[in-house]
């Protein structure tokens, strides 16, 4: 035991969410969350479970990806094709995600970064279902407004008081400010 068991700083720089909170925010069962983590579909980026007694901690971005996975599953997309879509999303920074729309014909999932790409797919007769990831951001922000977060800092005896939970209404601006300051 020691600092290795502490909570790492996540991509959002401040807050991590326990599995139960993630389930409530996204609208999935704990069994689904656990299965997706164990099969590496969506692994918590702040802290994964590492033996008994440790809790997974998910970042805000992880919750958005979980919401996308749930939406794709609800639309009948196979787990195999969802896995490919999530791998594509991993290559994008969190700020880029808000500008992506996923379009699926139930088999393939396409990531579109402009309205023109979306229209091209629809005119080609391929798109039957779409997820604007920016919309998933807003849904998760709304869900989190009344759910608890955890300070995402390393545990030590001299840890300063945790920062208050950020206002996710302006998460991107707050992230840019932290990046400039840091």
């Amino acid at each position: 035991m020691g600092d290795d068991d502490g909570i790492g700083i996540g991509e959002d720089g401040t807050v991590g969410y326990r599995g139960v909170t993630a389930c409530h925010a996204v609208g999935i069962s704990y069994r689904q969350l656990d299965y997706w983590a164990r099969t590496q579909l969506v692994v918590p980026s702040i802290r994964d479970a590492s033996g008994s007694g440790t809790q997974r901690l998910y970042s805000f971005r992880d919750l958005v990806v979980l919401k996308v996975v749930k939406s794709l599953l609800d639309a009948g997309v196979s787990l195999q094709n969802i896995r490919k879509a999530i791998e594509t999303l991993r290559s994008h920074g969190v700020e880029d995600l808000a500008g992506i729309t996923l379009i699926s014909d139930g088999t393939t999932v396409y990531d579109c970064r402009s309205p023109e790409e979306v229209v091209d797919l629809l005119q080609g007769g391929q798109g039957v279902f779409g997820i604007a990831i920016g919309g998933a951001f807003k849904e998760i922000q709304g869900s989190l407004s009344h759910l608890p977060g955890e300070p995402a800092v390393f545990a030590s005896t001299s840890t300063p008081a945790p920062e208050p939970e950020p206002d996710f209404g302006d998460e991107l601006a707050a992230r840019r400010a932290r990046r400039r300051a840091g």
Side-chain angles (χ1 to χ4, degrees):
M1 300 291 194
D3 283 351
D4 290 342
D5 298 319
I7 300 166
I9 296 173
E11 288 179 81
D12 66 351
T14 52
V15 177
Y17 300 95
R18 293 183 186 273
V20 174
T21 302
C23 289
H24 286 300
V26 176
I28 58 175
S29 70
Y30 194 84
R31 176 181 266 175
Q32 283 176 300
L33 184 78
D34 183 55
Y35 178 74
W36 295 348
R38 285 187 291 107
T39 59
Q40 308 286 298
L41 181 65
V42 183
V43 178
S45 59
I46 293 180
R47 183 178 66 191
D48 200 356
S50 56
S52 77
T54 61
Q55 295 224 4
R56 295 182 180 109
L57 279 181
Y58 290 84
S59 70
F60 176 76
R61 181 196 173 162
D62 296 335
L63 299 190
V64 171
V65 173
L66 287 167
K67 184 73 173 176
V68 168
V69 170
K70 180 189 185 308
S71 299
L72 290 170
L73 273 177
D74 289 349
V77 179
S78 74
L79 218 49
Q80 181 180 0
N81 287 316
I82 290 172
R83 194 171 292 278
K84 288 178 196 166
I86 297 308
E87 283 168 13
T88 301
L89 293 182
R90 280 193 189 115
S91 66
H92 298 287
V94 70
E95 292 176 22
D96 297 333
L97 286 181
I100 294 174
T101 298
L102 294 180
I103 300 285
S104 176
D105 57 8
T107 306
T108 307
V109 180
Y110 305 91
D111 61 312
C112 303
R113 292 173 199 83
S114 72
E116 292 76 25
E117 287 181 297
V118 173
V119 169
D120 286 348
L121 275 173
L122 292 172
Q123 286 178 337
Q126 298 185 63
V128 294
F129 163 72
I131 303 172
I133 297 182
F137 263 62
K138 288 188 176 74
E139 283 185 49
I140 295 295
Q141 286 168 353
S143 299
L144 290 176
S145 64
H146 54 85
L147 292 170
E150 304 276 323
V153 295
F154 284 100
S156 74
T157 53
S158 61
T159 302
E163 292 179 32
E165 191 168 324
D167 175 8
F168 284 108
D170 201 7
E171 175 64 19
L172 297 179
R175 188 174 296 113
R176 285 188 197 105
R178 284 195 298 276
R179 191 174 294 139
R180 281 195 300 270

